[in-house]
């Protein structure tokens, strides 16, 4: 009497109390985390911890942080971090040379098979690395963690051409819009150049990658530089790279932008676009900006979704199979 | 008109596209780490039952469709018009033969069905999953043959024909699955 199976909800509104992932998967997950920590320890990285709740946050048009009303200082809004980027870069400006962190990141509204609003992120930085060195480290990690023999490295523009027949750096906005529409992006809403690139990349380009080979895609279009620096030899593209495996984006890395003025310009532009879409603006002035003004050493940094890595490594189809308590059970 | 923002998209949502009602039967959220979210949807047209694939991006929206499901009783057929009555309000609704489609085969007077209204007008009806119909005509059954895998056509009270086992006789009641049009069993009267 009274026994409730762990997978069954007792009444509507109350989630089942048991984990959604099996114990076998949770055990493998813990082993992968141990392997990951030794991967970084073996390479001389220092494990660090930074706060999840901060007075500032990354300003990005498409990343929405959770705002938290704090009682000290009274009346202020702080932010659950969407990545540990700010605090880790402050550490670099204060003398760190190679650091990594396993932490939680929070992103409002991102719920789906491959998304959970709270997730585990692994982020690392190494001073002196350029884009190639950052990519090489990521490829090494992919090989070690995913048990892959080799890692494909391919330029964004080349891959985009293969998947769509379109040159993403030179095509006109009109040509991109037409291609997006003809591949099923609803034409009713207004689409920016990046909306079209993202749509075509997600629906035509990523599926064209070999499924069982990890792929590092690099030199993203300049409009998608985020916080990476532009290629000094070709400013149509940015020194940004991503890791894909089994159709899923696992990691994003930069040859880091260190120019404070450029950083401020990009944050302000992102805030303007946020405001025009009815989104809350995020403070631009931050301790990171101060750190950059004092001198952020050149280097490369990468963020990796650990839950997705586990999902890919264990050949599971959804995050809920590899997380104990995903959003529906949190 | 009410609208649904992409953040409200979910399976089961009833929306309007180009003036026609659709049911969202699948919704997949995909978002690049740095980039706008994509909502990949499968939508079933509630008028024509066709399925379309559409992808929306974060910030898009769809008009809500005023779609309501009610319980009705089938009253009678007059030529190409089928007349139903709302079980609660007793209001009468008419559907054309086209709108009823193959469901005419199952419609007996007084049968309780479900009906979908779009902007207050009936667009489709669905009979119960199983209906019991009386066999009006068939070739005589072979005595002792209880095999169910050999069938013959039998004509039922609605005028429709269904394949049924050899042992079925005129006057028998048979249960039909309306989702497949298949014979299920003989029912004792």
């Amino acid at each position: 009497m009274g026994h409730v199976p762990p997978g069954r909800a007792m009444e509507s509104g109350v989630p089942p109390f048991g984990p959604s992932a099996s114990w076998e998967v949770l055990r493998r997950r813990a082993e992968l985390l141990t392997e990951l920590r030794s991967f970084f320890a073996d390479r001389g990285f220092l494990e660090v911890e930074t706060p999840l709740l901060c007075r500032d946050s990354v300003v990005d048009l498409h990343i929405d942080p959770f705002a938290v009303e704090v009682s000290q200082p009274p009346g202020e809004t702080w932010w659950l971090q969407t990545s540990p980027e700010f605090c880790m870069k402050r550490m670099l400006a204060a003398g760190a040379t190679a650091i990594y962190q396993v932490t939680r990141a929070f992103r409002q509204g991102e719920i789906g098979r491959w998304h959970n609003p709270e997730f585990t992120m692994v982020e690392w930085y190494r001073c002196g690395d350029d884009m190639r060195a950052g990519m090489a480290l990521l490829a090494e990690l992919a090989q070690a963690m995913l048990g892959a023999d080799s890692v494909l490295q391919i330029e964004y523009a080349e891959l985009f051409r293969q998947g769509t027949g379109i040159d993403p750096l030179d095509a006109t906005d009109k040509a991109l819009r037409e291609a997006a529409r003809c591949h099923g992006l609803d034409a009713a809403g207004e689409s920016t150049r990046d909306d079209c690139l993202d749509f075509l990349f997600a629906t035509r380009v990523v599926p064209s990658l070999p499924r069982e080979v990890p792929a590092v895609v690099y030199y993203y279009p300049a409009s998608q530089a985020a916080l990476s620096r532009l290629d000094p030899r070709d400013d149509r593209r940015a020194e940004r790279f991503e890791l894909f495996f089994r159709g899923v984006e696992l990691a994003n890395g930069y040859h880091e932008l260190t120019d404070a003025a450029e950083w401020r310009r990009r944050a302000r532009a992102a805030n303007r676009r946020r405001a025009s879409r009815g989104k809350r603006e995020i403070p631009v002035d931050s301790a990171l900006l101060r750190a950059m003004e004092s001198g952020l050493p050149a280097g490369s940094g990468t963020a990796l979704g650990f839950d997705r890595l586990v999902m890919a490594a264990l050949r599971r189809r959804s995050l809920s199979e590899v997380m104990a308590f995903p959003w529906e059970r949190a | 008109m009410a609208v649904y923002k992409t953040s409200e998209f979910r399976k089961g949502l009833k929306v309007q596209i180009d003036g026609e009602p659709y049911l969202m039967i699948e919704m997949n959220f995909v978002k690049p780490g740095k980039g706008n979210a994509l909502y990949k949807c499968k939508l079933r047209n509630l008028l024509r039952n066709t399925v379309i694939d559409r992808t929306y991006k974060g910030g898009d929206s769809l008009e809500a469709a005023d779609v309501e499901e009610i319980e009705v009783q089938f009253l009678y057929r007059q030529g190409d018009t089928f007349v139903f009555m709302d079980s609660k309000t007793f209001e009468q609704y008419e559907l054309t033969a086209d709108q009823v489609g193959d469901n005419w085969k199952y419609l007996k007077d007084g049968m309780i069905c479900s009906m979908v209204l779009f902007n207050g007008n009936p667009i489709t009806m669905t009979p119960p999953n199983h209906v019991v119909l009386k066999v009006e005509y068939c070739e005589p059954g072979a005595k002792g043959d209880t095999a169910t895998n050999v069938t013959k056509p039998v004509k039922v009270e609605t005028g429709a024909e269904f394949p049924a086992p050899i042992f079925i006789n005129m006057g028998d009641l048979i249960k039909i699955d309306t989702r497949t049009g298949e014979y299920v069993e003989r029912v004792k009267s």
Side-chain angles (χ1 to χ4, degrees):
Chain A
M1 266 300 282
H3 174 73
V4 186
R8 181 91 48 85
M10 242 190 100
E11 54 195 84
S12 64
V14 178
F17 73 82
S20 62
S22 70
W23 284 112
E24 185 212 331
V25 167
L26 293 177
R27 234 187 315 273
R28 283 292 295 135
R29 183 182 168 117
E31 285 164 13
L32 286 166
L33 189 55
T34 306
E35 280 174 44
L36 181 106
R37 284 199 157 101
S38 34
F39 177 89
F40 284 108
D42 291 350
R43 286 160 183 78
F45 279 74
L46 176 70
E47 181 166 7
V48 297
E49 292 173 277
T50 57
L52 294 179
L53 187 58
C54 295
R55 41 169 65 73
D56 40 40
S57 176
V58 178
V59 189
D60 187 296
L61 170 59
H62 296 299
I63 299 180
D64 297 322
F66 286 81
V68 178
E69 310 301 328
V70 295
S71 62
Q72 283 305 327
E76 274 195 20
T77 298
W78 284 24
W79 311 91
L80 282 174
Q81 297 298 285
T82 56
S83 84
E85 186 164 356
F86 274 28
C87 285
M88 291 183 78
K89 286 182 179 171
R90 284 162 64 184
M91 286 179 162
L92 296 174
T97 52
I99 48 174
Y100 83 100
Q101 172 161 212
V102 180
T103 187
R104 288 302 172 85
F106 296 83
R107 295 183 181 184
Q108 188 85 263
E110 301 191 5
I111 305 174
R113 193 147 63 89
W114 299 339
H115 293 84
N116 200 63
E118 174 180 351
F119 59 102
T120 300
M121 184 177 261
V122 182
E123 188 150 320
W124 61 90
Y125 292 87
R126 190 161 62 188
C127 294
D129 277 4
D130 59 8
M131 180 178 73
R132 296 282 174 181
M135 287 167 56
L137 181 61
L138 177 59
E140 244 181 90
L141 181 131
Q143 253 175 299
M145 302 292 297
L146 299 169
D149 297 330
S150 65
V151 175
L152 174 71
Q153 302 201 353
I154 184 163
E155 283 187 28
Y156 180 100
E158 169 65 20
L159 183 65
F160 202 97
R161 268 194 299 271
Q162 285 176 15
T164 64
I166 297 170
D167 185 323
L169 302 180
D170 287 334
T172 62
D173 290 6
K174 189 162 167 269
L176 282 170
R177 251 196 294 276
E178 260 158 35
R181 195 169 309 161
C182 114
H183 287 301
L185 180 65
D186 182 70
E190 201 176 303
S191 300
T192 64
R193 182 181 182 87
D194 283 322
D195 283 340
C196 297
L197 285 173
D198 286 343
F199 170 75
L200 291 168
F201 195 76
T203 57
R204 315 298 306 177
V205 180
V206 174
S208 77
L209 282 166
R211 202 171 151 72
E212 295 299 333
V213 182
V216 175
V217 181
Y218 61 102
Y219 279 144
Y220 272 64
S223 59
Q224 304 190 357
L227 296 181
S228 65
R229 61 171 74 184
L230 298 186
D231 178 4
R233 287 159 303 141
D234 182 352
D235 64 5
R236 295 174 307 160
R237 59 193 199 180
E239 296 189 327
R240 174 181 158 204
F241 52 94
E242 292 224 342
L243 171 67
F244 290 87
F245 184 57
R246 295 172 63 81
V248 185
E249 176 192 348
L250 296 185
N252 173 59
Y254 304 141
H255 186 202
E256 297 291 345
L257 176 69
T258 51
D259 177 345
E262 171 66 6
W263 192 94
R264 195 191 295 268
R265 197 189 59 74
R266 289 189 199 174
R268 286 199 177 132
N271 253 339
R272 272 197 302 279
R273 284 188 217 111
R274 287 185 68 84
S276 75
R277 295 201 183 188
K279 292 185 174 195
R280 190 166 183 172
E281 290 182 50
I282 294 159
V284 170
D285 278 314
S286 62
L288 171 64
L289 206 48
R290 203 162 307 159
M292 290 177 82
E293 279 158 357
S294 92
L296 179 63
S300 175
T302 301
L304 173 133
F306 183 69
D307 312 278
R308 287 189 185 178
L309 178 85
V310 176
M311 178 180 83
L314 304 185
R315 306 290 192 271
R316 303 289 156 153
R317 295 187 66 252
S318 71
L319 291 185
S320 59
E321 291 177 69
V322 299
M323 300 178 95
F325 299 113
W327 196 245
E328 319 79 73
R329 295 188 185 217
Chain B
M1 195 67 193
V3 296
Y4 292 117
K5 290 186 284 192
T6 41
S7 55
E8 298 170 288
F9 281 14
R10 61 180 187 281
K11 221 159 98 176
L13 213 61
K14 284 156 185 152
V15 297
Q16 199 169 311
I17 302 169
D18 302 329
E20 297 193 339
Y22 286 82
L23 175 70
M24 200 172 278
I25 51 177
E26 230 181 275
M27 199 286 283
N28 280 310
F29 174 86
V30 194
K31 185 179 179 298
K34 309 278 169 189
N36 204 350
L38 295 172
Y39 299 78
K40 295 185 185 175
C41 305
K42 271 197 197 308
L43 299 141
R44 185 189 298 125
N45 184 308
L46 293 174
L47 297 177
R48 283 174 275 116
N49 223 24
T50 49
V51 174
I52 59 167
D53 288 298
R54 286 280 177 97
T55 300
Y56 299 89
K57 57 189 189 313
D60 286 349
S61 58
L62 282 173
E63 257 181 56
D66 173 13
V67 171
E68 187 191 356
E69 197 170 318
I70 58 169
E71 188 191 277
V72 292
Q73 201 178 359
F74 174 57
L75 296 183
Y76 58 89
R77 172 183 187 165
Q78 193 164 38
D80 267 356
T81 304
F82 290 74
V83 183
F84 300 84
M85 183 180 70
D86 187 322
S87 308
K88 285 205 190 85
T89 65
F90 307 116
E91 188 158 342
Q92 291 192 11
Y93 292 104
E94 293 181 357
L95 284 178
T96 64
D98 264 359
Q99 288 172 314
V100 170
D102 274 351
N103 288 331
W104 69 269
K105 293 178 178 174
Y106 312 109
L107 286 178
K108 281 201 304 189
D109 293 359
M111 184 178 278
I112 300 294
C113 307
S114 80
M115 176 175 267
V116 174
L117 304 180
F118 174 48
N119 293 331
N121 301 313
I123 53 170
T124 56
M125 54 77 49
T126 314
N129 289 344
H130 295 103
V131 296
V132 174
L133 299 168
K134 187 172 179 189
V135 176
E136 297 243 293
Y137 178 80
C138 67
E139 297 294 330
K143 243 201 181 112
D145 188 348
T146 55
T148 50
N149 55 346
V150 186
T151 62
K152 63 179 179 185
V154 305
K155 192 171 179 179
V156 297
E157 56 188 310
T158 61
E161 271 188 6
F162 294 98
I166 301 281
F167 60 77
I168 295 297
N169 281 308
M170 283 198 279
D172 282 352
L173 293 174
I174 59 172
K175 186 189 275 188
I176 303 287
D177 187 324
T178 63
R179 293 161 296 187
T180 57
E182 277 168 13
Y183 166 92
V184 180
E185 62 183 1
R186 179 159 58 178
V187 179
K188 287 208 178 83
S189 46

